Amino acid sequence: MEGIRIIMNSECRSWAAGDPVMEKYHDEEWCKINHDDRFEFEMLSLEGASVGLSWKTIMHKREEYRRAFHNFDIDRCTAMSDEELDGLMEDTGLIRNRSKIYSVRTNAQAVQRIQQKYGSFNRYLWSFTDGKQIDGRWKSLSEVPTVSDVSEALSKDMRKRGMKFVGPVITYSFLQSIGIVNDHLAGCEFR
């Protein structure tokens, strides 16, 4: 049919197949370079919320997170009061974990300090790869790692700066989400 594109289900896309939200994320965002501080902070916050849960769970709550955290405006998240954050514990659209909710403000404050020192959160993040994307060009999903030297170094540095929910595995997923790491398989049409 004209105007309708049929997408073959590749191995790369298998973790997203059958779920329109996840398919859209795989096709349009995952491993795509994005240099916007706000977007990078959003992905950092969502990755933190996903600790111990599935990414699918968080992606299906993404709009609620955007609403609750002022579309991840870093300055507004930095200024959130304890009362406002405590109020989010009643929000059924979020993962109602106090530590995770408060981590958004804590991490926003750390991002602001990074912006002051580096000029942008983006510049800080890309400094860990000398501004170059890491492209595995894997042939099979079984080859894709869950942690790397870069994610370990970034995780360690972020924790030193006071950030929460930034272990090396979550940090690796974060690097994929903002395109510093490209783990689309070599034959994936969405590389």
Side-chain angles (χ1 to χ4, degrees), residues 147-158:
V147 69
S148 69
D149 290 346
V150 172
S151 76
E152 287 178 352
L154 179 58
S155 170
K156 182 178 179 182
D157 194 75
M158 286 177 153

Side-chain angles (χ1 to χ4, degrees), residues 86-111:
D86 286 339
L88 295 179
M89 290 294 295
E90 305 302 317
D91 189 330
T92 59
L94 306 178
I95 303 303
R96 294 180 292 172
N97 175 300
R98 189 175 197 278
S99 296
K100 289 180 180 182
I101 287 172
Y102 270 75
S103 75
V104 174
R105 180 178 66 187
T106 299
N107 290 351
Q109 292 166 343
V111 167

Side-chain angles (χ1 to χ4, degrees), residues 1-13:
M1 298 173 86
E2 191 173 314
I4 296 177
R5 186 171 148 210
I6 297 174
I7 298 170
M8 301 304 290
N9 188 12
S10 70
E11 181 187 359
C12 185
R13 200 172 189 253

Side-chain angles (χ1 to χ4, degrees), residues 25 29 38-51 53-55 58-59 61-66 69 72 94-95 100 103-104 107 165 170 174 177:
Y25 174 69
E29 291 182 281
R38 191 219 57 82
F39 177 78
E40 292 166 340
F41 176 65
E42 175 181 356
M43 299 316 288
L44 179 71
S45 300
L46 294 175
E47 291 287 355
S50 77
V51 170
L53 303 167
S54 74
W55 184 239
I58 301 306
M59 289 306 290
K61 294 178 175 287
R62 188 178 192 179
E63 290 307 317
E64 286 87 356
Y65 272 89
R66 284 176 170 165
F69 291 104
F72 294 100
L94 306 178
I95 303 303
K100 289 180 180 182
S103 75
V104 174
N107 290 351
F165 297 102
I170 283 297
F174 168 61
S177 73

